[in-house]
Amino acid sequence: MEGGLWGTVVILGPILLALAIGWAMLRNRTSKAKLRQTEQATRDLYDEQSAADRTRP
């Protein structure tokens, strides 16, 4: 009985793990447009901070 349960765990465990990883990868994809928007916003923030640092004595 225990051997059958262990075999099921050994076989189904990696399958469930692969499904969970695949699902997470699909859910976390971003479009190229969204990535460009994020990168531009970061550059804008850095530019603002640099301008503020230049005006500081």
Side-chain angles (χ1 to χ4, degrees), residues 10-32:
V10 168
I11 292 170
L12 290 180
I15 293 170
L16 290 174
L17 181 61
L19 289 172
I21 290 172
W23 178 80
M25 289 174 68
L26 288 174
R27 296 273 298 152
N28 288 324
R29 289 190 306 178
T30 58
S31 68
K32 291 189 184 288

Side-chain angles (χ1 to χ4, degrees), residues 6-54:
W6 185 249
T8 303
V9 169
V10 168
I11 292 170
L12 290 180
I15 293 170
L16 290 174
L17 181 61
L19 289 172
I21 290 172
W23 178 80
M25 289 174 68
L26 288 174
R27 296 273 298 152
N28 288 324
R29 289 190 306 178
T30 58
S31 68
K32 291 189 184 288
K34 187 69 172 170
L35 182 60
R36 279 193 301 269
Q37 180 183 9
T38 301
E39 292 293 329
Q40 185 59 47
T42 302
R43 282 191 291 274
D44 292 345
L45 285 173
Y46 284 167
D47 290 343
E48 287 177 25
Q49 186 63 48
S50 292
D53 289 344
R54 282 193 296 271

